[in-house]
Amino acid sequence: MKTYQTDQIKTIVLLGNSGSGKTLLGEAMLFSGGVIERRGTIEGKNTASDYRPIEHENGNSIFSTVLYTEYLNKKINILDTPGLDDFSGGVVSPLYAADSAVLLINVQNGVEVGTEIHYRHAEKVHKPMIMAVNGLDHEKANFEKTFEMLKERLSSNVILVQYPVNEGVGFNSIIDVLKMKMLRYGKDGGKAEVLDIPADQADRAAELHSALVEKAAESDEALMELFFSNDTLSEEEIRKGIAKGILTRGMFPVFCLSAKQNIGTDCLLEFIVNEAPSITDMPVPVNSKGQEVKPNPAGPASVYVFKSSIEEHIGEINYFRVYSGKITENLDVINTNNGTKERLSQLYVCAGKNRSRVPELHTGDIGAFVKLKNTKMDHTLNAPGNDWRYQGVIFPAPKYRTAIKAQSESDDEKLGEALNKIHLEDPTIIIEYSKELKQIIVHGQGEYHLNIMKWHLDNIYKIPTNFNAPKIPYRETITKAAQADYRHKKQSGGAGQFGEVHLIIEPYIDGSQELTMQKFGGKEIKLSVRGKDEIELDWGGKLIYCNCIVGGSIDARFMPAILKGIMEKMEVGPLTGSYARDIRVYVYDGKMHPVDSNEISFRLAGRNAFSIAFKNANPKILEPVYDVEIMVPSDRMGDVISDLQGRRGMVLGMSSEKRFEVIKARVPLAEMNKYSTALSSITGGRAMYTMKFAEYVQVPGDVQEAVIKAYTEEEEEE
Ligand SMILES: Nc1nc2c(ncn2[C@@H]2O[C@H](COP(=O)(O)OP(=O)(O)O)[C@@H](O)[C@H]2O)c(=O)[nH]1
Ligand SMILES: [Mg+2]
């Protein structure tokens, strides 16, 4: 294949609801550029983009795919994405690597949930966007209605570049109001025959042309002046205005397509080649030092890996974009993320699973490496002497969790390896080995997302697993002061053991005063703090350990052993075995034995004294609560709120955004199990939500009882 320079490269990402025709459009684009010789179909399971077993099984894209085509002497990198919200990881990384998006709209349905979700993903990262109404050959096609929905539900900046003359069965003609021509397609689509606009379309075409000219003029002051003095603009001027308007998202031009019949693909490709932004038009990426990395074709080589995948017979493939300079085969580079050296022994460009070897790639281009040892998704590679690192893809936070276990213990190690690979290919699947919960917790975007992961474990990795209810990481703390003594004494054979500890514990709040005196059962205990350890607990909160020993009743050398004993109980709280937090301990007295006292004795005495005091200090269970933000269509708000209340949720606020209501609430994690599935059924899949850990709060009395009961029963079973 020919080598393309920076100004000959465009990179687009295909967005749109599942079923809007992204994969089929990708196929038509590859075919139009001669990259493939035959157009595959979704039903035939032979498209370049949907090549993985799970995609054949489901008839749907699950992962993003890197494709390219060659058109009018330019290379267009095409990143196909999955349409379902559960797979949004496969949307955000291609969006990062692309300079503009093509949003497909299925003309039977108009704006769908996934259309809005993808629109918002692109909006968040300010990507320019072209829209294409697809499926115009379908008997239920309704272009007018679809365009109205685009205006009303997405943006008032949508503007028609084309409209269909004869949508529905037999569709073959489009009026292009930029070119002011009619485009007519033959039976196999492909290249249009360019005709004059027929008389019966002249008025409508002229009206839409004016609207387009006006919108194009708005994006540039010089053009606006020209427009005012001449009352119109030339095609070249309009194109210039559109290109500028797209760049600032002041304009979303709308095209017509039948991906299935390959109608309209030629015009869309031509438009991308000429008007879509390239890397040099876009805001300059910033590296980790806050410096801008100019996409300079003559600069030092620098690439960012935006996607990793594992392919049959090959192993790991890393897809990257060149952000500066050019890379050539056998170039030595440094991985800035881990400092290792890599040699780029083989460079490829990819059209799905088909790869072609290339000798070099220039700034703005996308390619793939195989066989790199220490490089993966989100890493930056630089020519020696440079330590740039890009800010990188920001993945959506997880919002669905389950516990997973191999059916056979002998598969445990294999399961760990498989989960690592799954995470590499899909960073929105996060694996947590929770020592605390004694579970492997898998976090993802939704129930379907994790079921697809399980499908891979079953069918590709051949590891039978079960999903179990994930436990909740409760915490324990105390709500009043308590005192306890404990004597550990053992005198059977050999050396004896002796240690006695007297301590007081109280709830700790940052900045609170230390006790100086405390009464227990009419007895006054004076406390004067001589030494203090402030321990930031790994699991959140603090333990403050105060040494108040007077008169040498316990040797200073035993104090660390007592703390060790206390920490053992902090790690396995006395109520439910959960981590304890936010406690201040005063060790103020005790006894030693001249021969038998040793570290073990004091560790055990400290542990037991602490445990007794804890139980008398009105202990409470804390649970994690999450900030949940839900976007719901207005007509479903009431249902969503009453469901939240049933989940012990507290609604903190509501606001309106376009046709959506945004609900902010705090909900205990324990009540969020399978929330995405429930929300989807309440709203017909039209809602979106995010969740983020907020804080630990005390559980209500009835919940505390239930949690302790469940723990006790579980302990008895073991
Ligand atoms: N009639 C018609 N069907 C289409 C068109 N584009 C896609 N389809 C069908 O719609 C379904 C989904 O297409 P696909 O490309 O997988 O959509 P994606 O989920 O957006 O990638 C498939 O059955 C396609 O054959 C089109 O232009 N016309
Ligand atoms: Mg697809």
Side-chain angles (χ1 to χ4, degrees):
M1 126 171 211
K2 148 178 185 338
T3 299
Y4 290 90
Q5 306 297 326
T6 302
D7 59 0
Q8 297 175 302
I9 299 162
K10 301 276 165 124
T11 299
I12 60 165
V13 53
L14 302 178
L15 300 180
N17 196 79
S18 176
S20 57
K22 298 177 292 299
T23 297
L24 221 49
L25 174 63
E27 193 75 3
M29 287 175 155
L30 266 53
F31 178 74
S32 301
V35 173
I36 52 175
E37 282 167 11
R38 198 176 313 134
R39 285 194 299 136
T41 61
I42 304 298
E43 295 69 24
K45 306 184 194 301
N46 57 351
T47 61
S49 184
D50 284 358
Y51 61 87
R52 305 164 185 94
I54 181 67
E55 296 174 326
H56 293 162
E57 173 108 356
N58 283 25
N60 218 324
S61 312
I62 299 293
F63 295 97
S64 64
T65 307
V66 176
L67 308 163
Y68 74 92
T69 193
E70 300 176 85
Y71 205 75
L72 300 176
N73 237 348
K74 298 255 164 95
K75 181 181 179 209
I76 305 175
N77 293 305
I78 303 160
L79 308 175
D80 187 19
T81 62
L84 291 167
D85 193 30
D86 276 34
F87 304 102
S88 55
V91 176
V92 293
S93 45
L95 251 175
Y96 183 93
D99 294 319
S100 62
V102 174
L103 179 70
L104 269 79
I105 301 101
N106 181 338
V107 73
Q108 294 171 61
N109 308 331
V111 174
E112 300 172 82
V113 191
T115 324
E116 282 178 0
I117 292 174
H118 278 194
Y119 178 86
R120 254 181 254 127
H121 276 303
E123 187 175 43
K124 218 164 150 184
V125 291
H126 316 291
K127 287 286 164 172
M129 186 179 278
I130 298 163
M131 298 189 184
V133 177
N134 183 41
L136 284 159
D137 62 292
H138 201 276
E139 56 182 0
K140 292 202 187 115
N142 190 338
F143 184 79
E144 234 16 76
K145 187 171 146 232
T146 297
F147 183 64
E148 284 311 309
M149 281 175 97
L150 289 178
K151 258 199 305 206
E152 198 180 299
R153 293 170 64 160
L154 297 187
S155 168
S156 53
N157 286 338
V158 295
I159 183 96
L160 286 183
V161 173
Q162 300 181 331
Y163 70 88
V165 178
N166 56 344
E167 64 181 315
V169 179
F171 167 67
N172 68 351
S173 300
I174 296 170
I175 303 284
D176 189 305
V177 301
L178 170 59
K179 298 181 170 151
M180 283 311 269
K181 291 287 178 194
M182 180 162 91
L183 311 169
R184 194 164 63 195
Y185 292 83
K187 175 168 91 17
D188 296 322
K191 270 214 127 357
E193 186 185 352
V194 182
L195 304 168
D196 285 336
I197 294 177
D200 63 339
Q201 298 293 334
D203 289 350
R204 186 167 181 214
E207 191 185 316
L208 292 172
H209 180 74
S210 300
L212 181 64
V213 172
E214 204 166 320
K215 191 85 186 157
E218 271 175 25
S219 62
D220 186 294
E221 260 178 49
L223 284 177
M224 199 53 148
E225 275 172 31
L226 266 176
F227 176 59
F228 277 137
S229 49
N230 302 349
D231 217 27
T232 187
L233 295 175
S234 69
E235 186 179 329
E236 198 184 324
E237 287 158 353
I238 304 170
R239 285 183 183 276
K240 199 175 140 205
I242 294 177
K244 230 168 156 179
I246 295 176
L247 200 57
T248 57
R249 293 175 50 88
M251 177 165 198
F252 302 116
V254 178
F255 287 79
C256 292
L257 281 179
S258 165
K260 193 167 189 171
Q261 314 278 1
N262 196 9
I263 293 178
T265 323
D266 58 337
C267 269
L268 183 59
L269 282 171
E270 184 203 284
F271 185 82
I272 291 164
V273 161
N274 293 315
E275 269 73 49
S278 75
I279 194 167
T280 46
D281 300 316
M282 295 298 290
V284 172
V286 174
N287 68 24
S288 54
K289 290 180 177 159
Q291 301 159 325
E292 292 190 338
V293 179
K294 288 229 159 57
N296 177 7
S302 180
V303 311
Y304 174 73
V305 177
F306 65 92
K307 171 183 165 71
S308 296
S309 78
I310 296 163
E311 303 284 330
E312 228 182 334
H313 311 305
I314 300 167
E316 255 176 58
I317 299 191
N318 288 301
Y319 298 89
F320 61 88
R321 183 159 205 214
V322 185
Y323 279 95
S324 168
K326 78 169 179 187
I327 54 164
T328 47
E329 228 175 57
N330 292 322
L331 185 73
D332 287 318
V333 291
I334 309 284
N335 179 322
T336 318
N337 296 72
N338 53 29
T340 56
K341 265 194 200 162
E342 297 271 24
R343 169 161 293 188
L344 307 179
S345 57
Q346 293 167 17
L347 295 178
Y348 293 90
V349 291
C350 300
K353 72 170 171 200
N354 306 316
R355 279 167 297 278
S356 329
R357 195 108 170 238
V358 289
E360 60 183 48
L361 290 166
H362 292 252
T363 299
D365 215 345
I366 281 180
F369 312 123
V370 295
K371 302 196 176 81
L372 291 192
K373 286 209 177 60
N374 297 304
T375 296
K376 59 183 178 63
M377 156 73 210
D378 202 35
H379 286 183
T380 304
L381 302 175
N382 291 303
N386 242 328
D387 60 352
W388 292 338
R389 227 164 95 184
Y390 299 97
Q391 272 168 357
V393 182
I394 298 167
F395 287 100
K399 53 192 187 194
Y400 194 92
R401 60 199 278 278
T402 186
I404 191 172
K405 206 169 172 356
Q407 280 176 13
S408 150
E409 236 169 71
S410 61
D411 276 343
D412 279 354
E413 202 181 317
K414 245 169 81 189
L415 176 63
E417 286 166 15
L419 290 174
N420 281 344
K421 289 183 180 170
I422 285 173
H423 169 71
L424 178 72
E425 286 196 284
D426 180 356
T428 59
I429 288 194
I430 294 165
I431 319 294
E432 178 197 354
Y433 295 89
S434 175
K435 201 178 106 191
E436 167 188 13
L437 305 176
K438 298 189 188 75
Q439 285 184 319
I440 304 175
I441 307 280
V442 186
H443 303 260
Q445 293 295 308
E447 191 167 8
Y448 187 53
H449 190 204
L450 296 188
N451 285 342
I452 294 288
M453 179 199 80
K454 193 165 185 306
W455 186 96
H456 278 102
L457 289 171
D458 286 343
N459 294 283
I460 307 292
Y461 297 98
K462 311 266 185 237
I463 307 171
T465 54
N466 290 327
F467 280 170
N468 304 308
K471 291 184 193 161
I472 303 296
Y474 291 110
R475 298 286 178 262
E476 297 179 15
T477 195
I478 53 171
T479 56
K480 64 170 201 189
Q483 187 274 342
D485 302 345
Y486 193 89
R487 173 181 294 178
H488 174 77
K489 191 171 162 194
K490 212 163 129 194
Q491 273 165 333
S492 53
Q497 292 183 354
F498 185 95
E500 185 173 319
V501 171
H502 301 194
L503 51 71
I504 289 173
I505 63 175
E506 64 159 349
Y508 172 75
I509 302 163
D510 271 333
S512 62
Q513 288 281 317
E514 281 155 14
L515 296 174
T516 50
M517 193 274 290
Q518 187 73 8
K519 265 189 181 163
F520 285 104
K523 213 175 110 194
E524 234 175 53
I525 300 165
K526 281 214 164 54
L527 297 168
S528 105
V529 178
R530 283 146 200 283
K532 187 163 66 170
D533 287 320
E534 189 169 323
I535 298 151
E536 293 269 2
L537 302 164
D538 290 345
W539 50 90
K542 281 181 189 165
L543 171 76
I544 314 291
Y545 179 60
C546 301
N547 178 352
C548 307
I549 296 291
V550 278
S553 55
I554 301 176
D555 253 11
R557 67 192 164 100
F558 293 129
M559 293 308 285
I562 298 172
L563 173 59
K564 206 165 166 195
I566 291 170
M567 279 303 287
E568 284 171 12
K569 273 298 163 200
M570 291 292 289
E571 277 182 32
V572 186
L575 290 184
T576 61
S578 308
Y579 290 126
R581 57 179 282 168
D582 300 325
I583 298 170
R584 181 149 47 202
V585 185
Y586 305 87
V587 176
Y588 65 91
D589 202 1
K591 272 201 185 77
M592 293 184 294
H593 182 277
V595 183
D596 293 346
S597 279
N598 57 16
E599 283 185 8
I600 293 177
S601 315
F602 276 99
R603 199 183 90 216
L604 292 174
R607 185 170 91 181
N608 290 327
F610 179 78
S611 192
I612 295 165
F614 194 97
K615 286 180 179 152
N616 291 327
N618 197 18
K620 293 282 182 212
I621 294 174
L622 307 176
E623 64 178 341
V625 295
Y626 276 66
D627 277 327
V628 182
E629 200 175 306
I630 312 159
M631 284 186 94
V632 293
S634 316
D635 57 326
R636 290 303 157 87
M637 184 152 93
D639 299 336
V640 170
I641 287 180
S642 60
D643 173 75
L644 280 175
Q645 282 158 347
R647 296 173 185 272
R648 298 194 279 123
M650 207 167 63
V651 175
L652 302 176
M654 282 174 263
S655 56
S656 293
E657 247 182 54
K658 290 210 176 106
R659 272 162 335 93
F660 276 85
E661 304 294 329
V662 181
I663 303 170
K664 289 194 170 142
R666 283 236 161 138
V667 190
L669 178 64
E671 306 289 338
M672 287 297 283
N673 199 14
K674 302 208 168 185
Y675 185 62
S676 67
T677 315
L679 182 65
S680 181
S681 81
I682 299 171
T683 61
R686 289 161 63 214
M688 265 183 26
Y689 77 103
T690 57
M691 58 189 280
K692 202 171 117 218
F693 171 74
E695 58 171 349
Y696 270 96
V697 301
Q698 279 183 23
V699 301
D702 54 331
V703 176
Q704 173 147 335
E705 266 171 42
V707 171
I708 291 176
K709 187 162 167 261
Y711 174 73
T712 320
E713 280 170 7
E714 197 180 301
E715 285 293 280
E716 280 164 5
E717 264 172 37
E718 274 173 15

